[in-house]
Every structure is written in structure tokens, then in C-alpha cells.
């Protein structure tokens, strides 16, 4: 973290530009993945009384919001790479990077819970709107509002991809946060300074006078010897 303070302006501009581009690409990929999951499955499964389907919907909403915030952070980082002297822009990228990191972290937790719940109930919540409850028989049925063929594996694959993209978003959002932290001259780590203990002894006035007299006597003796 502290090594970012040694970068010059050109190096900071390049890092901000690369980080912003990566955040924009990852944000768009994550947004497309969330839109595919919502358009193919979750818009048919959303059922507020059901806790699991409600959790699916909330996790997907957080996913899309996190993707939009990541794209905004990437755009702001690219603009900041051209105008490093703008302090309001630095604070904007600083706040966006923190928000993107926290929201991506919440999104990754929600996706992990969704994947775990889907594995636990064998995909029955994804296929709750169909007539059959057996996953093997439901593939032969045409009484579903969507195509049930491979919906279980497809949804899990898209969620896993989104989880990986969220982890990458967290890494590069933290990188953008550290870069703006260095530009704002704010430090998270401080160098340790060695502290030396200094003991002070208070000499009473009587002993101080005695030592002065003793030193004067030594000087007189030295003078008499030389004489």
C-alpha cells in the first residue's frame, strides 16, 4: 500500500486508466450476466412469500446495482487520469471505489448464498412455477413459463461467473481506492518511529552544592600541585 506513494504523475495516470478500463469491462460483463439470469429464470420465479425466491431476486438486484456502480467508478477513474489536479473528482472516485467495493462484497455473499441454497434444495425453487416438482420429470413437461431444459446448470453457471467477476471487481475497486488515497495524500500505514526512553534524575539542591564544592576542591588541589 505504501509503495503507491512513490509513483509519479505519469505512472498514476497509466494505472488509473488501466484500472478504469478493467472496471468498465468487468462491470458490463457482470451486468449482462445478471440480465441473463433475470430474463431467463428469475422473472418467472419471483414470489415474495417464498423466502428463497425472494433471496434470489434481492441477490440479482444487488448484482445489477453493483455492476452499474462499478462501471461508474471505472468511468470516473478514466476521467481522473486526465485531470489529476481536480480535487472534487478525486473525492468522487474515492467514494465510488469504496461503495463499489462494499457493494461487490455484499453481492458476492448473496450469490454464494444463492448457489448454496440451490444446491441444498436441488433446484426446486428455480422450478417452482412448473407443474412437477421432480427435476427429472420436469424436463419432459411443457407446463412451464420458461424452457426448463438445463435451467439448473445454466443458472448455476451464470451465478458462478458473476461470483468470479465480483471478486475481480473487489480487487480492482480496492486498487482504485488505494490510488485515489495516494493522490489525496491520505495514508493508511504509518512508518514506525523508534522511541527512546530518556530518564531524568532530579538532583536535590544540597547534593548539587556538595558536588560543586567537591569539584572546586579538586581544582584547588590541582593548582597547588602545579605550584
Amino acid at each position: 500500500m505504501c509503495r503507491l506513494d512513490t509513483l509519479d504523475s505519469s505512472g498514476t495516470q497509466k494505472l488509473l486508466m488501466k484500472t478504469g478500463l478493467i472496471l468498465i469491462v468487468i462491470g458490463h460483463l457482470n451486468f449482462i450476466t445478471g440480465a441473463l439470469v433475470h430474463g431467463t429464470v428469475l422473472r418467472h420465479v419471483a414470489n415474495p412469500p417464498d423466502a428463497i425466491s425472494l433471496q434470489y431476486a434481492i441477490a440479482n438486484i444487488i448484482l445489477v446495482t453493483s455492476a452499474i456502480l462499478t462501471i461508474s467508478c471505472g468511468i470516473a477513474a478514466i476521467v481522473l487520469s486526465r485531470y489529476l489536479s481536480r480535487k472534487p473528482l478525486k473525492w468522487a472516485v474515492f467514494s465510488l471505489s469504496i461503495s463499489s467495493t462494499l457493494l461487490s462484497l455484499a453481492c458476492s455473499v448473496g450469490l454464494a448464498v444463492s448457489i448454496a441454497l440451490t444446491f441444498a434444495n436441488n433446484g426446486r425453487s428455480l422450478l417452482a412455477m412448473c407443474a412437477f416438482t421432480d427435476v427429472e420429470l420436469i424436463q419432459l413437461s411443457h407446463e412451464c413459463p420458461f424452457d426448463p431444459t438445463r435451467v439448473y446448470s445454466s443458472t448455476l453457471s451464470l451465478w458462478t461467473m458473476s461470483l468470479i467477476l465480483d471478486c475481480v471487481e473487489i480487487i480492482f475497486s480496492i486498487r482504485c481506492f488505494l490510488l485515489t488515497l495516494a493522490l489525496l495524500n491520505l495514508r493508511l500505514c504509518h512508518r514506525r518511529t523508534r522511541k527512546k526512553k530518556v530518564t531524568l534524575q532530579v538532583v536535590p539542591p544540597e547534593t548539587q552544592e556538595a558536588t560543586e564544592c567537591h569539584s572546586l576542591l579538586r581544582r584547588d588541589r590541582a593548582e597547588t600541585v602545579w605550584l
Side-chain angles (χ1 to χ4, degrees), residues 90-192:
K90 294 177 186 178
W91 283 109
V93 178
F94 180 78
S95 58
L96 282 173
S97 59
I98 293 176
S99 303
S100 177
T101 303
L102 295 177
L103 200 59
S104 298
L105 184 61
C107 180
S108 60
V109 172
L111 287 174
V113 172
S114 299
I115 293 171
L117 289 174
T118 306
F119 273 119
N121 58 23
N122 201 14
R124 289 184 177 86
S125 296
L126 293 174
L127 304 171
M129 298 299 294
C130 299
F132 297 96
T133 57
D134 192 357
V135 179
E136 295 179 356
L137 294 176
I138 207 168
Q139 295 180 0
L140 304 175
S141 175
H142 298 284
E143 299 179 3
C144 289
F146 55 92
D147 186 11
T149 307
R150 297 180 181 177
V151 67
Y152 176 72
S153 58
S154 300
T155 307
L156 286 178
S157 300
L158 290 172
W159 275 341
T160 305
M161 188 185 302
S162 296
L163 184 60
I164 295 171
L165 290 173
D166 278 326
C167 294
V168 179
E169 282 181 3
I170 291 171
I171 293 171
F172 283 95
S173 296
I174 292 174
R175 185 182 183 183
C176 187
F177 164 73
L178 293 176
L179 286 171
T180 51
L181 201 69
L183 288 174
L184 290 168
N185 294 324
L186 301 175
R187 294 183 180 180
L188 288 177
C189 51
H190 299 280
R191 294 180 180 178
R192 295 181 179 178

Side-chain angles (χ1 to χ4, degrees), residues 8-227:
D8 54 353
S9 60
S10 61
T12 306
Q13 285 180 345
K14 290 179 182 179
L15 278 177
L16 277 173
M17 181 70 73
K18 291 178 182 178
T19 306
L21 288 173
I22 292 171
L23 286 174
I24 290 173
V25 172
I26 294 171
H28 277 91
L29 290 175
N30 214 357
F31 184 83
I32 292 170
T33 306
L36 285 174
V37 173
H38 179 77
T40 55
V41 180
L42 293 185
R43 68 188 181 94
H44 303 290
V45 178
N47 186 16
D50 187 11
I52 297 178
S53 62
L54 184 62
Q55 197 275 332
Y56 289 163
I58 292 173
N60 200 67
I61 290 170
I62 296 174
L63 170 64
V64 174
T65 309
S66 171
I68 294 172
L69 191 60
T70 302
I71 294 169
S72 303
C73 182
I75 294 172
I78 291 175
V79 175
L80 180 61
S81 66
R82 299 295 301 273
Y83 304 100
L84 288 177
S85 60
R86 304 288 179 87
K87 197 166 185 179
L89 192 57
K90 294 177 186 178
W91 283 109
V93 178
F94 180 78
S95 58
L96 282 173
S97 59
I98 293 176
S99 303
S100 177
T101 303
L102 295 177
L103 200 59
S104 298
L105 184 61
C107 180
S108 60
V109 172
L111 287 174
V113 172
S114 299
I115 293 171
L117 289 174
T118 306
F119 273 119
N121 58 23
N122 201 14
R124 289 184 177 86
S125 296
L126 293 174
L127 304 171
M129 298 299 294
C130 299
F132 297 96
T133 57
D134 192 357
V135 179
E136 295 179 356
L137 294 176
I138 207 168
Q139 295 180 0
L140 304 175
S141 175
H142 298 284
E143 299 179 3
C144 289
F146 55 92
D147 186 11
T149 307
R150 297 180 181 177
V151 67
Y152 176 72
S153 58
S154 300
T155 307
L156 286 178
S157 300
L158 290 172
W159 275 341
T160 305
M161 188 185 302
S162 296
L163 184 60
I164 295 171
L165 290 173
D166 278 326
C167 294
V168 179
E169 282 181 3
I170 291 171
I171 293 171
F172 283 95
S173 296
I174 292 174
R175 185 182 183 183
C176 187
F177 164 73
L178 293 176
L179 286 171
T180 51
L181 201 69
L183 288 174
L184 290 168
N185 294 324
L186 301 175
R187 294 183 180 180
L188 288 177
C189 51
H190 299 280
R191 294 180 180 178
R192 295 181 179 178
T193 56
R194 295 181 180 179
K195 296 181 180 180
K196 295 182 179 180
K197 292 183 178 180
V198 178
T199 56
L200 298 176
Q201 294 181 355
V202 179
V203 181
E206 297 178 356
T207 57
Q208 189 175 1
E209 292 177 358
T211 52
E212 289 178 356
C213 293
H214 187 65
S215 61
L216 288 173
L217 288 173
R218 284 184 177 178
R219 288 180 183 176
D220 293 337
R221 287 178 183 176
E223 289 177 358
T224 54
V225 169
W226 282 104
L227 290 172

